């Protein structure tokens, strides 16, 4: 893309809003670009698209590799387009490599949905800081919504901090689990269950059905301890089979019930507002760290202070105070 003129951006925005697929792809490429002039143009474009966004229901989906995320999204997505929805699938995977490895949101992993004219699948933005990857996915979500997608599914792996980043950008967070080994809760982090709006035990088919039932009662018991009494929403625990399309309609009915409840109570708007503020702060933190690390005075002084710290000639607090003073903070 050459220098994006204001006129180009107006044109691109109206094409996105008209639902032109090529424009949608171009807009997301712009949002994902790290070139400073593209970054500025992307922000300008987003400002034009923002009034047309926000209407989709945003659902995050996590689970360990192999739990069946892509299989489930493929089937669920097609169920939804069959009912007239337009479904966008995005992903957050800071470790994702374009060569090899599982690239979340990859079209080859969702072969059926990828062929669906009412679906749009975008792999995770290329590896980078979690903040950078999450920001690009979040901004891509705005573009998809402006293009008329009314369901946005955001996939992430069940490892690391990326789950929190996704939970912070969606209206509903779904955790997929494997049947069996329910007694030790599969070593799954308690923190993830606390983020969950619903747990679904996948692969509840064939020989796994009985094990899935046991896992469900274990998770229900765990939730009873975790969910405060009187909470407006108790995360349902369901058995599904993404492969065989079992339980997915019931699962989506719960998503819709949650939406209706949280719209009525105002919780949806409150959650989104809170997310905006958190987003602002995480961008401020990332921006501050970047400025700090690239400041020539800090670059010159930091190695000296680090050496002093190792030798016991200063304290971490004194060193930090000096660095912040250099920046005028
Ligand atoms: P992901 O890494 O979480 O995206 O998992 P995949 O969707 O790639 O699935 C991993 C493997 O589990 C594949 O071989 C799938 O065919 C299989 N699988 C996924 N969902 C189901 C299911 O509901 N039942 C069964 N039996 N197998 C499944």
């Amino acid at each position: 893309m050459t220098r994006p003129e204001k006129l180009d951006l107006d044109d691109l925005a109206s094409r996105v809003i008209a639902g032109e697929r090529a424009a949608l792809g171009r807009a997301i490429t712009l949002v994902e670009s790290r070139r400073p002039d593209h970054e500025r143009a992307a922000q300008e474009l987003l400002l034009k698209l923002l009034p047309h966004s926000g209407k989709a229901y945003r659902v995050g989906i996590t689970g360990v590799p192999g739990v069946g995320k892509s299989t489930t999204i493929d089937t669920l997505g097609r169920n939804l387009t069959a009912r007239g929805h337009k479904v966008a699938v995005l992903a957050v995977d800071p470790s994702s490599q374009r060569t090899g490895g599982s690239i979340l949101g990859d079209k080859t992993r969702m072969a059926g949905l990828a062929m669906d004219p009412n679906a749009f699948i975008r792999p995770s933005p290329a590896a980078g800081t979690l903040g950078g990857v999450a920001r690009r996915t979040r901004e891509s979500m705005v573009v998809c919504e402006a293009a008329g997608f009314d369901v946005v599914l955001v996939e992430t792996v069940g490892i690391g901090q990326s789950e929190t980043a996704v939970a912070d950008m969606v209206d509903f967070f779904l955790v997929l689990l494997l049947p069996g080994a329910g007694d030790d809760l599969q070593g799954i982090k308690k923190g993830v269950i606390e983020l969950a709006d619903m747990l679904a035990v996948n692969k509840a088919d064939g020989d796994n059905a009985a094990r899935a039932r046991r896992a469900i009662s274990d998770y229900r018991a765990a939730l009873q301890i975790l969910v405060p009494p009187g909470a407006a929403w108790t995360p349902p625990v369901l058995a599904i089979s993404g492969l065989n399309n079992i339980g997915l309609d019931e699962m989506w009915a719960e998503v819709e019930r949650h939406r209706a409840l949280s719209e009525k109570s105002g919780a949806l708007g409150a959650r989104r507002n809170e997310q905006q503020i958190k987003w602002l702060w995480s961008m401020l933190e990332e921006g501050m760290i970047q400025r700090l690390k690239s400041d020539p005075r800090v670059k010159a002084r930091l190695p000296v202070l680090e050496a002093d710290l190792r030798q016991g000639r200063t304290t971490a607090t004194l060193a930090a105070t000096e660095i912040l003073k250099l920046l005028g903070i």
Side-chain angles (χ1 to χ4, degrees):
M1 202 172 302
T2 50
R3 201 177 119 61
E5 301 294 338
K6 207 169 169 53
L7 202 75
D8 283 344
L9 291 177
D10 278 335
D11 184 57
L12 185 56
S14 52
R15 285 175 194 276
V16 167
I17 293 160
E20 276 185 37
R21 187 161 283 252
L24 174 63
R26 259 187 77 197
I28 293 185
T29 302
L30 190 64
V31 160
E32 287 179 351
S33 173
R34 289 155 187 249
R35 261 177 54 175
D37 57 333
H38 284 177
E39 286 192 347
R40 276 191 300 275
Q43 294 308 311
E44 214 177 304
L45 178 70
L46 286 167
L47 271 183
K48 295 179 197 298
L49 298 180
L50 265 177
H52 302 270
S53 74
K55 290 184 205 82
Y57 207 55
R58 308 161 176 171
V59 177
I61 299 179
T62 190
V64 294
V67 71
K69 291 181 295 299
S70 51
T71 309
T72 303
I73 292 171
D74 196 33
T75 312
L76 173 68
R78 280 186 288 163
N79 290 349
L80 293 173
T81 57
R83 276 193 242 154
H85 290 290
K86 283 185 77 184
V87 179
V89 181
L90 305 174
V92 171
D93 179 9
S95 67
S96 127
Q97 302 290 325
R98 295 277 163 173
T99 52
S102 99
I103 305 165
L104 289 180
D106 192 0
K107 289 179 193 173
T108 57
R109 295 166 64 241
M110 298 165 198
L113 195 60
M115 304 292 291
D116 194 320
N118 288 312
F120 176 79
I121 301 174
R122 187 79 173 184
S124 177
T129 64
L130 173 60
V133 172
R135 186 190 113 195
R136 284 169 172 81
T137 301
R138 200 168 194 146
E139 292 177 344
S140 298
M141 185 150 78
V142 171
V143 180
C144 290
E145 290 183 350
F149 289 85
D150 63 342
V151 174
V152 181
L153 305 176
V154 186
E155 182 188 6
T156 191
V157 271
I159 38 177
Q161 287 300 305
S162 50
E163 284 169 323
T164 314
V166 171
D168 281 344
M169 68 173 84
V170 296
D171 306 321
F172 190 93
F173 194 63
L174 165 64
V175 178
L176 295 185
L177 300 159
L178 289 165
D183 32 41
D184 66 353
L185 298 183
Q186 297 168 38
I188 98 160
K189 294 159 287 170
K190 198 169 138 239
V192 173
I193 302 227
E194 281 166 350
L195 293 176
D197 294 300
M198 175 158 62
L199 304 179
V201 176
N202 189 36
K203 308 196 186 184
D205 46 45
D207 295 345
N208 279 328
R211 267 190 291 169
R213 275 196 298 277
R214 270 202 308 279
I216 283 173
S217 49
D218 287 346
Y219 286 120
R220 284 196 179 133
L223 279 175
Q224 277 194 337
I225 300 165
L226 289 171
V227 177
W233 179 261
T234 302
V237 188
L238 302 178
I240 62 163
S241 167
L243 191 63
N244 299 307
N245 203 0
I246 298 169
L248 297 189
D249 286 349
E250 291 80 350
M251 188 174 91
W252 194 255
E254 289 294 335
V255 175
E256 285 183 334
R257 186 168 72 86
H258 182 269
R259 176 171 197 158
L261 271 175
S262 56
E263 264 179 353
K264 196 163 161 239
S265 69
L268 179 62
R271 184 168 174 159
R272 286 187 175 185
N273 283 339
E274 190 117 327
Q275 287 173 342
Q276 292 287 336
I277 304 295
K278 257 189 165 176
W279 186 12
L280 167 67
W281 275 99
S282 73
M283 289 189 30
L284 279 176
E285 279 169 25
E286 187 151 314
M288 289 295 286
I289 295 285
Q290 250 164 29
R291 260 196 57 191
L292 186 98
K293 287 185 174 165
S294 60
D295 187 279
R297 292 162 303 178
V298 174
K299 270 190 186 160
R301 188 71 184 128
L302 206 55
V304 181
L305 286 173
E306 282 180 356
D308 284 354
L309 196 54
R310 284 201 191 88
Q311 305 288 324
R313 287 194 292 266
T314 186
T315 67
T317 304
L318 285 173
T321 308
E322 186 184 330
I323 292 290
L324 291 176
K325 236 186 219 153
L326 279 179
L327 285 178
I329 298 170

